[in-house]
Amino acid sequence: MQGQNIIRTLLFIVFFSIGAAAVAASVLCDDLVRYYRNRHYLNQAERLTEKHELLNDDYDAVLMQVEDDPNLIRRLAPAALGADPTDPNTISPRATPLELAEAKKALAKIAEAEPNEPAMPAWLKRCREPDHRIYLFAAGAALILVSFACFGRLKTPDDEQDWSSTK
């Protein structure tokens, strides 16, 4: 009898927990959607902040080099502005528009390869639909009712005697 009570208790806990989770998911679906979207936006903002910090560090390093070597500006200006170099001993390669387009495509592929997780999990997208939400709520409520009806407390002969003596 003791083993049967343990099994009934475990089954009650399992059925009730699953039912309660289903009801809670259907009721709190909008809040979960907001949570996952906000978390996604936060992760994107953190990645952008890290990129900006790296760019700032790079610019700081370039500014330090410019302060240390004044001739650096004369060497960088033609490359940055696209002007012809003024020094006759300087060799400057020219990139064709086709080569620039290919480089741009390669950089775009790298940018697309960044980790970009979905805003919300697939199960939440399915639960968000009104019909699925109603079904989820009904199934959870049914599991809760089944857990109380089938795995609730057993009536013992002592319980029946208590009820008959109070009448």
Side-chain angles (χ1 to χ4, degrees), residues 9-120:
T9 303
L10 289 176
L11 287 174
F12 175 81
I13 290 170
V14 168
F15 275 60
F16 183 80
S17 299
I18 293 172
V23 169
S26 68
V27 170
L28 298 175
C29 185
D30 294 332
D31 293 332
L32 288 171
V33 167
R34 263 187 261 123
Y35 168 74
Y36 279 105
R37 280 190 182 156
N38 288 341
R39 194 174 80 178
H40 177 71
Y41 294 146
L42 178 66
N43 289 341
Q44 280 183 338
E46 287 174 350
R47 282 196 302 269
L48 285 174
T49 303
E50 288 174 7
K51 282 182 184 178
H52 290 158
E53 287 174 353
L54 289 174
L55 284 174
N56 284 339
D57 292 342
D58 291 344
Y59 289 138
D60 288 340
V62 169
L63 289 175
M64 293 288 284
Q65 288 178 353
V66 167
E67 288 175 3
D68 292 344
D69 185 11
N71 293 327
L72 185 66
I73 293 177
R74 278 191 287 145
R75 290 187 307 228
L76 289 179
L81 300 175
D84 291 330
T86 56
D87 189 10
N89 294 331
T90 304
I91 298 174
S92 61
R94 299 280 180 200
T96 64
L98 180 62
E99 291 171 341
L100 291 175
E102 289 176 8
K104 195 179 227 184
K105 286 179 185 176
L107 290 174
K109 287 179 183 177
I110 292 171
E112 289 174 3
E114 290 181 7
N116 197 8
E117 73 276 354
M120 67 182 100

Side-chain angles (χ1 to χ4, degrees), residues 22-23 25-27 29 122-140:
V23 169
S26 68
V27 170
C29 185
W123 65 268
L124 189 56
K125 288 180 184 177
R126 288 191 307 269
C127 292
R128 219 173 122 195
E129 297 175 14
D131 291 342
H132 290 196
R133 215 166 156 180
I134 292 170
Y135 297 147
L136 186 63
F137 184 84

